[in-house]
Amino acid sequence: MTFKPAHLLVVLLATALPAMAQNLAVVNGKAIPSARVDAMVKQLATQGQQDSPQLRAMVKQELINREVLMQEAEKSGIASNPEVKNQLEIARQSLLIRALMVDYVKKNPVSDAEIKAEYDKAKAQAGDKEYHAFHILVEKEDDAKAIISKLKAGAKFEELAKQSKDTGSAAKGGDLDWASPATFVPAFSQAMTGLQKGQFTEVPVKTEFGFHVIKLDDVRASKFPSLEEVKPQIIDGLQQQKVQAFQQNLVKKAKIQ
């Protein structure tokens, strides 16, 4: 069977077009795959960019610019620079490790039972009450005792709180806002929950931060969020735990000399 020149051109075009469609552009004879556009658009989507013809046009130009610069970098021999080699290897490691972790999470999803168990655990730890407390934190026990003496003499807690080491609450008169006892270190929590409304601790409370004078303003029933409200955070936390355990297990099994 023989082809006329026109027929031959049609055949050549028919075989060339699919290959051309797979390429974004050809720069100095080197093709840029069209799939690379999709990959970059997908990456930009994680940063809040919306897929659009305008975005794809920008990505196309960016990829062409990169290819031109890459070819120049290779031509200059910069890739053989020891520092550049090290940076390339670090970037390669980071990319592969990230892909490994994404793959691990995909193959080991957090189950509904795990989510519910974590939620119930957090709810139990939070308790059924919230406390509105104030405190004054000082370095020395004698300073805390002096503050307690002044309070007993009628001094205002909010005024004395200005000398607190906890500058965040000091600016608000020592106000720690509403919180569950689990929010605080055990010694602080125990002293706080032992107070009646309006009372302050008559003995300095020692923690790793210093010495506290605590005043309890009010108590109310806890308003714990529903499972659906905190589900995304729980999933994220459990995924991080799984990934960390996976990593630790690999390191433990590795032969390190």
Side-chain angles (χ1 to χ4, degrees):
M1 183 176 181
T2 58
F3 289 100
K4 294 181 180 180
H7 289 164
L8 181 59
L9 179 59
V10 170
V11 172
L12 290 172
L13 285 172
T15 55
L17 283 173
M20 290 174 63
Q22 294 175 5
N23 295 327
L24 167 69
V26 178
V27 180
N28 296 325
K30 186 172 180 180
I32 304 175
S34 296
R36 204 169 292 173
V37 175
D38 296 328
M40 183 170 279
V41 168
K42 186 177 180 181
Q43 182 180 357
L44 291 171
T46 64
Q47 302 170 12
Q49 296 272 15
Q50 292 290 331
D51 191 353
S52 67
Q54 293 81 4
L55 178 63
R56 286 181 173 270
M58 290 173 60
V59 168
K60 177 180 178 180
Q61 189 57 54
E62 173 64 17
L63 289 172
I64 291 172
N65 293 345
R66 289 188 180 196
E67 182 56 39
V68 171
L69 293 171
M70 274 295 296
Q71 290 182 20
E72 183 61 27
E74 289 171 355
K75 189 189 303 182
S76 70
I78 199 169
S80 60
N81 181 295
E83 185 177 347
V84 173
K85 280 185 175 181
N86 285 331
Q87 290 177 356
L88 283 171
E89 181 57 25
I90 290 170
R92 176 179 172 274
Q93 287 180 348
S94 298
L95 180 62
L96 289 174
I97 290 169
R98 191 180 306 117
L100 173 66
M101 296 309 176
V102 169
D103 183 65
Y104 178 80
V105 169
K106 188 183 297 182
K107 292 177 179 176
N108 298 272
V110 175
S111 68
D112 289 339
E114 289 174 317
I115 295 169
K116 182 66 165 57
E118 189 69 13
Y119 175 79
D120 290 342
K121 178 183 173 183
K123 190 174 182 180
Q125 288 177 342
D128 58 356
K129 292 180 181 179
E130 288 182 324
Y131 292 75
H132 186 197
F134 291 69
H135 86 137
I136 302 170
L137 176 63
V138 290
E139 191 73 39
K140 300 177 181 178
E141 184 177 12
D142 287 342
D143 292 338
K145 288 180 177 178
I147 290 169
I148 291 170
S149 296
K150 291 177 182 179
L151 289 171
K152 288 181 176 179
K156 290 186 178 181
F157 195 98
E158 291 75 9
E159 286 297 318
L160 295 176
K162 291 178 180 178
Q163 63 186 286
S164 178
K165 281 174 56 184
D166 180 2
T167 54
S169 65
K172 300 181 290 183
D175 192 351
L176 294 172
D177 208 347
W178 289 97
S180 71
T183 306
F184 306 103
V185 294
F188 188 103
S189 177
Q190 186 176 357
M192 178 184 69
T193 56
L195 294 171
Q196 297 295 318
K197 295 179 184 180
Q199 281 188 332
F200 57 83
T201 50
E202 297 189 9
V203 176
V205 179
K206 184 180 179 181
T207 71
E208 58 263 44
F209 305 108
F211 291 88
H212 306 257
V213 179
I214 306 166
K215 184 181 80 170
L216 180 62
D217 180 64
D218 204 356
V219 183
R220 70 184 182 189
S222 179
K223 298 178 180 178
F224 202 76
S226 68
L227 175 57
E228 288 305 313
E229 288 177 299
V230 294
K231 190 174 181 178
Q233 294 95 310
I234 292 175
I235 292 174
D236 184 58
L238 289 173
Q239 284 179 339
Q240 289 182 27
Q241 290 177 26
K242 283 177 178 281
V243 166
Q244 187 175 19
F246 172 59
Q247 177 181 327
Q248 290 174 345
N249 187 48
L250 289 175
V251 173
K252 186 177 179 181
K253 291 190 299 183
K255 185 178 179 180
I256 302 172
Q257 297 176 315

